[in-house]
Amino acid sequence: MVTGIELINTRARSNHTEKFSALMHHFSEDNLKECFESLDGKKALGIDRISKEEYGQNLEENLRTLVNSLKEMSYKPKPVRRVEILKEDGTTRPLGISCFEDKIIQEMTRRILEAIYEPVFIETSYGFRPGRNCHDALRKLDSELMSKPVNWIVDMDISRFFDTMPHDEILTLLSERISDSKFLRIVSRQLKSGINYPSGVEYSELGTQQGSVVSPILANIYLDKVLDKWFCEELKVFFNGYCELIRYADDAVAVFETEEEAAKFMKVLPLRLAKYGLELNKNKTKIIRFSRKDKDNQTSFDFLGFTHYWGKSKSGKVRLKRKTSKKRLRRAIVNMSQWIKQNRNKFPLREIWKTISSKMRGHINYFGISDNFPSLKKFDNEVKNQLFIWLNKRSQRKSFTWENFKIYTVKFPLPKPKIRISMFSLYAKN
């Protein structure tokens, strides 16, 4: 059976400029039930502290009431709960945690927006798109650097992107493809729901909450207009040399054949972003000479958690290599150490082991790419050291000697460092 969302997507693919005027009827009980079932019930709770399990105990009545409130336009999302995540430089990254019922509406909103805009996104945009992931973006970058005439890279960083997107600009952009005023009002209310602080609720005309279900698609829609289409449709025609843009959410790099055109891009980029209420992080945005033609090239740059640098294949040919960036490796080790320290007395050893195994597996699945085995091994050694140290502090008597600890890891093995994903482009294989 073809769903309403699939019909939207089909129309959007056949006509990239068509406006959609009737979207609110998709917020039906059946569709919202599908959204309910798709959401992760283990995520952190919003300010009402209602979990998926609790909401589901009276699901049909809750959804019926929710649909009625949408029809009457009386639905108003609750303020999000703000959580600050510590970053390596001492600053914090804010996450917004919505109430579960609001996540249901966000999920339905996301599906509708994705159906409309997915067909028009550029091929080199990879963040939070169906069938695409970080490793695809890394493979594309590998292909560009290994097979195209690339000599210069613009490594760009948009300052506090998710916190500074202007609501009015987002809504104006959406109105170019969507004429359903009620749907746009729902999106507006999601953007302006406010943040709950101990001192009270604060409202802003800027930003979309990181952690929100609908935030990634809104970010893609905005940057597709502000950066992607501008680069591909307006700038490329003026450049004589080769150039390309690769973006994952708000992380992006542009590659250029000539230094002159890389410098031109750097000159106009801040002006373009400022036009839409955004600003470059000048300390992190830079032009880098990065060419496989250079002998003994020692330059490097970070993208998506990896440091990219030139090395040599077994046959002695120059090729692109990657390793876990120092910041990401340090963060991963610190986070594991803190978790073990905080939970070593809360759970039995078997449960601690199970959780640590899961966390290590997630790290290996992402960072287990070609050439990165030394970083994986360092991570593995550090985690085992932290386990040995903190488990031995659970009581006055040591739980393990080092020999007993190694025997335990043999009997109950943790995930082993392993290269799971090949990053080699066709040129790198030759």
Side-chain angles (χ1 to χ4, degrees):
M1 180 181 297
V2 178
T3 68
I5 299 300
E6 289 170 341
L7 287 173
I8 292 175
N9 187 253
T10 300
R11 289 169 55 193
R13 288 184 183 281
S14 62
N15 186 346
H16 289 184
T17 60
E18 179 180 357
K19 294 192 76 168
F20 293 83
S21 59
L23 298 173
M24 285 303 297
H25 67 278
H26 294 291
F27 289 87
S28 64
E29 290 182 39
D30 288 341
N31 284 345
L32 294 183
K33 185 176 181 180
E34 284 187 18
C35 294
F36 166 86
E37 292 171 349
S38 70
L39 293 170
D40 188 350
K42 297 180 180 179
K43 297 290 186 179
L45 305 181
I47 62 172
D48 62 1
R49 315 306 296 181
I50 296 176
S51 66
K52 178 178 182 178
E53 182 181 1
E54 292 171 321
Y55 193 86
Q57 290 174 0
N58 198 14
L59 182 59
E60 291 186 4
E61 184 177 339
N62 286 336
L63 292 181
R64 191 179 304 115
T65 302
L66 181 56
V67 169
N68 287 334
S69 71
L70 289 164
K71 289 179 179 178
E72 298 170 358
M73 291 307 294
S74 60
Y75 165 75
K76 291 185 179 180
K78 296 179 177 65
V80 301
R81 182 165 67 88
R82 175 65 68 95
V83 176
E84 302 287 345
I85 307 298
L86 186 65
K87 296 168 66 174
E88 296 91 347
D89 58 5
T91 61
T92 58
R93 178 168 62 93
L95 287 180
I97 301 172
S98 302
C99 295
F100 187 81
E101 184 172 75
D102 296 329
K103 290 180 182 179
I104 297 174
I105 301 300
Q106 291 174 15
E107 173 63 15
M108 193 66 235
T109 304
R110 181 196 68 79
R111 294 183 182 194
I112 293 171
L113 291 175
E114 188 175 274
I116 295 172
Y117 287 95
E118 178 62 26
V120 301
F121 289 152
I122 67 169
E123 275 300 307
T124 55
S125 166
Y126 294 91
F128 305 106
R129 295 181 61 189
R132 293 165 175 252
N133 56 38
C134 291
H135 295 136
D136 295 325
L138 292 170
R139 288 191 187 94
K140 177 61 177 175
L141 181 60
D142 182 274
S143 176
E144 290 291 314
L145 295 174
M146 291 297 298
S147 63
K148 304 297 183 182
V150 172
N151 300 303
W152 298 87
I153 288 178
V154 174
D155 181 11
M156 66 191 83
D157 184 276
I158 302 176
S159 181
R160 299 173 60 244
F161 168 70
F162 284 93
D163 291 334
T164 56
M165 280 195 296
H167 295 169
D168 288 345
E169 292 283 359
I170 298 172
L171 294 169
T172 299
L173 182 57
L174 292 179
S175 67
E176 294 177 4
R177 296 293 308 278
I178 299 169
S179 58
D180 187 331
S181 60
K182 289 186 177 181
F183 179 82
L184 292 174
R185 283 168 64 189
I186 292 298
V187 176
S188 177
R189 289 177 184 182
Q190 291 172 353
L191 289 170
K192 302 174 189 296
S193 61
I195 302 170
N196 189 63
Y197 292 101
S199 58
V201 178
E202 293 184 10
Y203 300 92
S204 174
E205 294 298 317
L206 300 175
T208 176
Q209 296 298 322
Q210 290 190 69
S212 161
V213 176
V214 77
S215 180
I217 183 64
L218 289 176
N220 273 341
I221 293 169
Y222 201 58
L223 284 178
D224 180 72
K225 169 72 173 183
V226 175
L227 185 61
D228 300 353
K229 293 290 198 312
W230 171 67
F231 185 92
C232 295
E233 297 175 3
E234 297 184 36
L235 291 187
K236 273 188 175 183
V237 296
F238 292 104
F239 290 155
N240 296 317
Y242 182 82
C243 61
E244 188 59 272
L245 175 74
I246 301 168
R247 183 176 66 81
Y248 188 95
D250 61 328
D251 291 325
V253 293
V255 298
F256 293 88
E257 183 174 357
T258 68
E259 182 182 14
E260 179 184 6
E261 291 179 345
K264 286 180 180 178
F265 175 68
M266 276 287 285
K267 185 176 181 179
V268 297
L269 179 60
L271 302 176
R272 174 67 177 184
L273 295 181
K275 180 180 177 180
Y276 290 90
L278 304 176
E279 184 180 359
L280 275 180
N281 185 327
K282 296 180 181 179
N283 294 327
K284 295 183 178 180
T285 301
K286 51 188 176 295
I287 300 178
I288 304 168
R289 169 74 181 180
F290 198 81
S291 173
R292 63 196 298 252
K293 299 176 184 178
D294 294 344
K295 293 183 179 180
D296 302 322
N297 194 331
Q298 299 299 311
T299 59
S300 64
F301 68 96
D302 289 353
F303 182 58
L304 297 180
F306 293 92
T307 296
H308 301 256
Y309 63 100
W310 293 114
K312 290 188 176 181
S313 65
K314 292 181 180 179
S315 62
K317 294 182 178 180
V318 175
R319 68 172 174 86
L320 184 67
K321 292 189 174 185
R322 290 148 294 264
K323 60 184 177 181
T324 309
S325 69
K326 291 181 179 179
K327 287 184 177 181
R328 288 295 292 270
L329 182 59
R330 182 169 62 250
R331 184 203 305 175
I333 293 169
V334 169
N335 287 345
M336 290 289 272
S337 177
Q338 289 177 342
W339 189 91
I340 298 167
K341 178 182 177 181
Q342 293 168 0
N343 293 280
R344 68 188 190 275
N345 293 316
K346 294 181 181 179
F347 304 105
L349 181 57
R350 181 173 297 181
E351 289 298 315
I352 292 175
W353 216 254
K354 181 179 178 180
T355 301
I356 291 296
S357 294
S358 177
K359 290 178 178 290
M360 292 182 71
R361 193 173 296 111
H363 182 91
I364 294 168
N365 286 343
Y366 183 77
F367 289 101
I369 69 173
S370 306
D371 302 313
N372 199 33
F373 187 81
S375 294
L376 294 179
K377 189 62 180 176
K378 182 175 181 179
F379 174 76
D380 179 74
N381 290 335
E382 289 291 339
V383 171
K384 288 177 180 176
N385 286 336
Q386 294 299 320
L387 271 171
F388 178 74
I389 291 170
W390 289 113
L391 291 179
N392 272 332
K393 293 184 178 181
R394 293 201 299 175
S395 63
Q396 292 183 348
R397 292 187 61 185
K398 287 189 175 183
S399 302
F400 291 109
T401 64
W402 183 246
E403 290 302 319
N404 287 339
F405 180 78
K406 288 196 291 185
I407 293 172
Y408 191 85
T409 58
V410 171
K411 187 176 181 180
F412 301 101
L414 295 166
K416 294 182 179 180
K418 184 178 180 181
I419 301 303
R420 299 187 178 276
I421 298 170
S422 173
M423 284 290 122
F424 295 153
S425 67
L426 293 177
Y427 269 66
K429 290 180 179 180
N430 295 332

